Protein backbone atom coordinates (compact mmCIF):
# COMPACT_ATOMS: atom_id res chain seq x y z
CA UNK A 1 0.00 0.00 0.00
CA UNK A 2 1.36 3.42 -0.91
CA UNK A 3 -1.65 5.72 -0.40
CA UNK A 4 -2.48 8.76 -2.54
CA UNK A 5 -1.12 12.03 -1.21
CA UNK A 6 -3.28 14.19 -3.49
CA UNK A 7 -5.84 14.76 -0.71
CA UNK A 8 -4.97 15.10 2.96
CA UNK A 9 -7.24 13.67 5.64
CA UNK A 10 -6.46 16.40 8.13
CA UNK A 11 -6.41 15.43 11.81
CA UNK A 12 -5.36 18.79 13.28
CA UNK A 13 -4.82 22.38 12.19
CA UNK A 14 -1.63 21.62 10.22
CA UNK A 15 -2.46 21.11 6.55
CA UNK A 16 -4.59 24.17 5.87
CA UNK A 17 -3.89 25.09 3.16
CA UNK A 18 -2.60 21.86 1.62
CA UNK A 19 -0.44 22.16 -1.51
CA UNK A 20 0.11 18.96 -3.46
CA UNK A 21 2.27 18.63 -6.57
CA UNK A 22 2.84 15.31 -8.31
CA UNK A 23 6.33 16.61 -9.15
CA UNK A 24 8.17 19.76 -8.18
CA UNK A 25 11.70 21.00 -7.71
CA UNK A 26 11.36 21.09 -3.92
CA UNK A 27 8.47 21.26 -1.46
CA UNK A 28 10.54 23.83 0.45
CA UNK A 29 10.36 26.20 -2.51
CA UNK A 30 6.57 25.94 -2.59
CA UNK A 31 6.45 27.62 0.84
CA UNK A 32 9.60 29.75 1.19
CA UNK A 33 8.83 33.43 0.70
CA UNK A 34 5.07 32.87 0.68
CA UNK A 35 2.45 34.76 2.70
CA UNK A 36 0.64 31.55 3.63
CA UNK A 37 -0.47 31.07 7.24
CA UNK A 38 1.23 28.91 9.81
CA UNK A 39 0.43 25.24 9.28
CA UNK A 40 0.46 25.40 5.49
CA UNK A 41 1.77 22.11 4.11
CA UNK A 42 3.40 21.26 0.77
CA UNK A 43 3.76 17.65 -0.39
CA UNK A 44 5.07 16.03 -3.55
CA UNK A 45 5.45 12.51 -4.88
CA UNK A 46 8.73 13.43 -6.56
CA UNK A 47 11.29 16.20 -6.16
CA UNK A 48 13.70 17.04 -8.97
CA UNK A 49 15.87 19.27 -6.77
CA UNK A 50 15.35 18.05 -3.23
CA UNK A 51 18.16 18.74 -0.81
CA UNK A 52 19.35 17.98 2.69
CA UNK A 53 21.91 19.60 4.97
CA UNK A 54 25.14 21.00 3.52
CA UNK A 55 23.49 21.21 0.09
CA UNK A 56 23.37 17.45 -0.46
CA UNK A 57 20.80 16.11 -2.86
CA UNK A 58 17.79 14.17 -1.62
CA UNK A 59 17.05 11.67 -4.39
CA UNK A 60 14.26 9.08 -4.39
CA UNK A 61 12.12 7.39 -7.06
CA UNK A 62 8.66 8.90 -7.51
CA UNK A 63 6.01 7.61 -5.12
CA UNK A 64 8.37 5.89 -2.68
CA UNK A 65 9.11 8.59 -0.09
CA UNK A 66 7.21 11.01 2.06
CA UNK A 67 8.37 14.51 1.12
CA UNK A 68 6.66 17.24 3.11
CA UNK A 69 7.30 20.84 4.15
CA UNK A 70 5.43 22.75 6.85
CA UNK A 71 5.35 26.53 7.25
CA UNK A 72 5.82 27.73 10.85
CA UNK A 73 5.75 31.22 12.32
CA UNK A 74 7.33 30.83 15.77
CA UNK A 75 7.83 33.83 18.07
CA UNK A 76 11.31 35.40 17.90
CA UNK A 77 12.08 34.61 21.54
CA UNK A 78 12.22 30.88 20.78
CA UNK A 79 15.56 29.33 19.73
CA UNK A 80 14.68 28.48 16.15
CA UNK A 81 17.45 25.90 15.48
CA UNK A 82 15.73 23.70 18.09
CA UNK A 83 12.95 23.07 15.58
CA UNK A 84 15.06 20.45 13.77
CA UNK A 85 15.07 18.36 16.94
CA UNK A 86 11.37 18.98 17.58
CA UNK A 87 10.54 17.81 14.05
CA UNK A 88 12.89 14.82 14.37
CA UNK A 89 11.08 13.74 17.53
CA UNK A 90 7.67 14.00 15.87
CA UNK A 91 8.97 12.06 12.87
CA UNK A 92 10.40 9.30 15.07
CA UNK A 93 7.08 9.00 16.91
CA UNK A 94 5.08 8.79 13.68
CA UNK A 95 7.33 6.04 12.32
CA UNK A 96 7.21 4.19 15.63
CA UNK A 97 3.41 4.22 15.48
CA UNK A 98 3.49 2.82 11.94
CA UNK A 99 6.14 0.14 12.47
CA UNK A 100 5.90 -0.76 16.14
CA UNK A 101 9.68 -0.33 16.39
CA UNK A 102 11.80 2.06 18.45
CA UNK A 103 13.60 4.84 16.60
CA UNK A 104 16.44 7.13 17.60
CA UNK A 105 17.50 10.66 16.76
CA UNK A 106 21.01 11.37 15.52
CA UNK A 107 21.87 14.96 16.35
CA UNK A 108 21.02 17.32 14.86
CA UNK A 109 18.42 16.19 12.33
CA UNK A 110 18.50 12.49 11.37
CA UNK A 111 16.04 9.79 12.39
CA UNK A 112 17.55 6.33 12.74
CA UNK A 113 16.16 2.79 12.64
CA UNK A 114 18.52 -0.14 13.20
CA UNK A 115 21.57 2.16 12.79
CA UNK A 116 20.35 3.41 9.42
CA UNK A 117 18.99 6.80 8.49
CA UNK A 118 15.35 6.59 7.47
CA UNK A 119 14.44 10.26 7.71
CA UNK A 120 16.01 13.70 7.69
CA UNK A 121 14.94 17.22 8.64
CA UNK A 122 15.83 20.50 6.95
CA UNK A 123 14.59 23.72 8.55
CA UNK A 124 15.11 26.93 6.58
CA UNK A 125 14.58 30.41 7.98
CA UNK A 126 13.45 33.40 5.95
CA UNK A 127 12.21 36.69 7.43
CA UNK A 128 11.20 35.06 10.70
CA UNK A 129 9.33 32.25 8.98
CA UNK A 130 10.59 28.67 9.26
CA UNK A 131 9.88 26.11 6.56
CA UNK A 132 10.42 22.68 8.06
CA UNK A 133 11.17 20.03 5.47
CA UNK A 134 10.84 16.34 6.39
CA UNK A 135 11.88 13.48 4.13
CA UNK A 136 11.11 9.87 5.08
CA UNK A 137 12.38 6.84 3.16
CA UNK A 138 9.23 4.74 3.12
CA UNK A 139 8.93 2.18 0.33
CA UNK A 140 12.27 2.30 -1.51
CA UNK A 141 13.98 -0.97 -2.25
CA UNK A 142 17.64 -1.38 -1.34
CA UNK A 143 18.94 -0.55 -4.82
CA UNK A 144 16.93 2.69 -4.81
CA UNK A 145 18.78 4.14 -1.82
CA UNK A 146 21.89 6.35 -2.25
CA UNK A 147 25.17 4.50 -1.75
CA UNK A 148 27.34 7.55 -1.06
CA UNK A 149 25.43 9.04 1.88
CA UNK A 150 27.59 9.92 4.93
CA UNK A 151 25.14 8.01 7.17
CA UNK A 152 24.05 4.65 5.77
CA UNK A 153 20.43 4.97 4.62
CA UNK A 154 17.56 2.56 4.96
CA UNK A 155 13.86 2.66 4.20
CA UNK A 156 10.98 1.37 6.27
CA UNK A 157 10.52 -1.27 3.60
CA UNK A 158 14.13 -2.52 3.56
CA UNK A 159 14.30 -2.63 7.35
CA UNK A 160 10.93 -4.25 8.08
CA UNK A 161 10.03 -6.09 4.87
CA UNK A 162 6.70 -4.24 4.77
CA UNK A 163 5.33 -1.51 2.53
CA UNK A 164 3.49 1.38 4.13
CA UNK A 165 0.60 3.71 3.33
CA UNK A 166 2.29 7.08 2.88
CA UNK A 167 -0.98 9.01 3.26
CA UNK A 168 -1.65 7.46 6.66
CA UNK A 169 1.92 8.16 7.72
CA UNK A 170 1.58 11.78 6.61
CA UNK A 171 -1.56 12.31 8.69
CA UNK A 172 0.13 10.81 11.74
CA UNK A 173 3.27 12.88 11.19
CA UNK A 174 1.46 16.21 10.89
CA UNK A 175 -0.59 15.57 14.02
CA UNK A 176 2.47 14.67 16.06
CA UNK A 177 4.44 17.61 14.68
CA UNK A 178 1.62 19.95 15.68
CA UNK A 179 1.51 18.50 19.21
CA UNK A 180 5.28 18.69 19.70
CA UNK A 181 5.49 22.16 18.15
CA UNK A 182 2.77 23.45 20.49
CA UNK A 183 4.61 22.00 23.49
CA UNK A 184 7.82 23.68 22.31
CA UNK A 185 6.01 27.01 21.87
CA UNK A 186 4.75 26.78 25.44
CA UNK A 187 7.90 25.56 27.16
CA UNK A 188 10.85 25.49 24.78
CA UNK A 189 12.97 22.41 24.23
CA UNK A 190 12.76 21.32 27.91
CA UNK A 191 9.06 20.62 27.27
CA UNK A 192 9.93 17.79 24.87
CA UNK A 193 13.39 16.91 26.15
CA UNK A 194 12.53 13.76 28.14
CA UNK A 195 11.33 11.99 24.97
CA UNK A 196 14.09 13.52 22.88
CA UNK A 197 16.88 12.54 25.27
CA UNK A 198 15.57 8.98 25.51
CA UNK A 199 16.10 8.60 21.74
CA UNK A 200 19.65 10.00 21.64
CA UNK A 201 21.41 7.82 19.05
CA UNK A 202 24.92 9.23 19.50
CA UNK A 203 25.12 8.93 23.29
CA UNK A 204 28.30 7.03 24.18
CA UNK A 205 29.38 6.54 20.55
CA UNK A 206 32.77 7.38 19.10
CA UNK A 207 32.26 10.23 16.67
CA UNK A 208 34.09 12.79 14.59
CA UNK A 209 32.92 16.39 14.69
CA UNK A 210 34.10 18.30 11.64
CA UNK A 211 36.96 15.80 11.45
CA UNK A 212 37.95 15.83 15.15
CA UNK A 213 37.61 12.64 17.19
CA UNK A 214 35.42 12.56 20.32
CA UNK A 215 32.89 10.53 22.27
CA UNK A 216 29.33 11.85 22.27
CA UNK A 217 27.98 12.46 25.75
CA UNK A 218 24.43 13.67 25.19
CA UNK A 219 22.02 15.99 23.46
CA UNK A 220 21.82 18.77 26.02
CA UNK A 221 18.49 20.26 27.15
CA UNK A 222 19.44 23.40 25.19
CA UNK A 223 19.64 21.36 21.96
CA UNK A 224 23.41 21.40 21.59
CA UNK A 225 25.56 18.27 21.44
CA UNK A 226 27.98 17.61 24.28
CA UNK A 227 31.07 15.54 23.42
CA UNK A 228 34.14 14.36 25.33
CA UNK A 229 37.39 14.96 23.49
CA UNK A 230 40.57 12.95 23.88
CA UNK A 231 42.92 15.92 23.89
CA UNK A 232 45.30 15.93 26.88
CA UNK A 233 43.35 14.83 29.93
CA UNK A 234 40.11 15.08 27.99
CA UNK A 235 37.61 17.90 28.08
CA UNK A 236 33.96 18.56 27.42
CA UNK A 237 33.09 20.37 24.22
CA UNK A 238 29.67 21.73 23.32
CA UNK A 239 28.81 21.63 19.62
CA UNK A 240 26.22 24.00 18.18
CA UNK A 241 26.46 22.89 14.54
CA UNK A 242 28.62 20.83 12.25
CA UNK A 243 29.09 17.49 10.54
CA UNK A 244 28.95 14.61 13.03
CA UNK A 245 29.88 11.10 11.86
CA UNK A 246 29.86 7.96 13.98
CA UNK A 247 31.85 4.75 13.86
CA UNK A 248 29.74 1.97 12.42
Amino acid sequence: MTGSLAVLERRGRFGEPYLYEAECESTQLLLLGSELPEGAVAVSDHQTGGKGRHGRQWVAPAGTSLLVSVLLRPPPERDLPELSLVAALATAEAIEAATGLSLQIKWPNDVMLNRRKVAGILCELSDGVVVCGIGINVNQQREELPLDAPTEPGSLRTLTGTTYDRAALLGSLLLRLEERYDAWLAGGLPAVYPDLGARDFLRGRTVTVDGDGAVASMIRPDGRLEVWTGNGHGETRVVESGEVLFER
Side-chain angles (χ1 to χ4, degrees):
M1 298 173 62
T2 57
S4 172
L5 301 178
V7 178
L8 171 68
E9 293 188 13
R10 195 156 53 93
R11 298 167 57 184
R13 74 180 188 279
F14 281 9
E16 179 59 43
Y18 181 69
L19 310 178
Y20 168 78
E21 297 285 347
E23 181 176 282
C24 67
E25 181 179 351
S26 166
T27 56
Q28 296 287 94
L29 296 178
L30 296 177
L31 298 180
L32 281 168
S34 76
E35 298 298 324
L36 293 171
E38 179 169 85
V41 170
V43 172
S44 182
D45 279 311
H46 186 230
Q47 292 184 147
T48 59
K51 62 181 181 179
R53 293 181 75 234
H54 305 294
R56 296 190 183 97
Q57 282 190 308
W58 182 283
V59 180
T64 61
S65 299
L66 188 54
L67 308 167
V68 53
S69 296
V70 183
L71 190 149
L72 303 172
R73 297 182 180 276
E77 63 268 20
R78 284 283 167 248
D79 190 358
L80 301 187
E82 295 175 353
L83 278 173
S84 289
L85 291 170
V86 174
L89 175 58
T91 302
E93 291 176 326
I95 298 172
E96 286 172 348
T99 64
L101 301 173
S102 296
L103 279 88
Q104 295 177 291
I105 295 168
K106 175 183 172 291
W107 187 92
N109 69 328
D110 291 343
V111 179
M112 309 290 289
L113 175 59
N114 194 23
R115 297 171 59 89
R116 290 170 176 81
K117 176 181 175 178
V118 295
I121 315 297
L122 177 65
C123 290
E124 296 183 278
L125 174 66
S126 177
D127 296 326
V129 175
V130 177
V131 176
C132 178
I134 302 172
I136 304 177
N137 294 331
V138 183
N139 292 323
Q140 294 103 310
Q141 300 185 69
R142 191 172 307 279
E143 62 272 15
E144 295 173 324
L145 295 167
L147 299 177
D148 57 350
T151 300
E152 184 176 358
S155 71
L156 306 191
R157 180 177 181 179
T158 61
L159 295 171
T160 70
T162 301
T163 57
Y164 293 86
D165 184 326
R166 293 178 304 135
L169 183 58
L170 173 61
S172 175
L173 171 63
L174 292 178
L175 182 62
R176 285 170 169 80
L177 179 60
E178 179 182 319
E179 292 171 345
R180 290 303 190 174
Y181 175 69
D182 286 348
W184 175 79
L185 286 178
L189 200 62
V192 303
Y193 183 77
D195 293 315
L196 173 65
R199 292 173 172 81
D200 187 349
F201 174 80
L202 291 176
R203 185 189 296 266
R205 295 185 186 273
T206 300
V207 298
T208 59
V209 181
D210 294 329
D212 296 329
V215 174
S217 300
M218 62 184 296
I219 298 173
R220 292 163 50 104
D222 62 8
R224 296 182 294 174
L225 180 68
E226 183 177 294
V227 301
W228 181 255
T229 68
N231 300 329
H233 297 291
E235 59 182 12
T236 296
R237 175 185 171 191
V238 177
V239 183
E240 296 191 5
S241 63
E243 182 83 80
V244 179
L245 303 176
F246 66 96
E247 288 189 3
R248 298 177 181 175

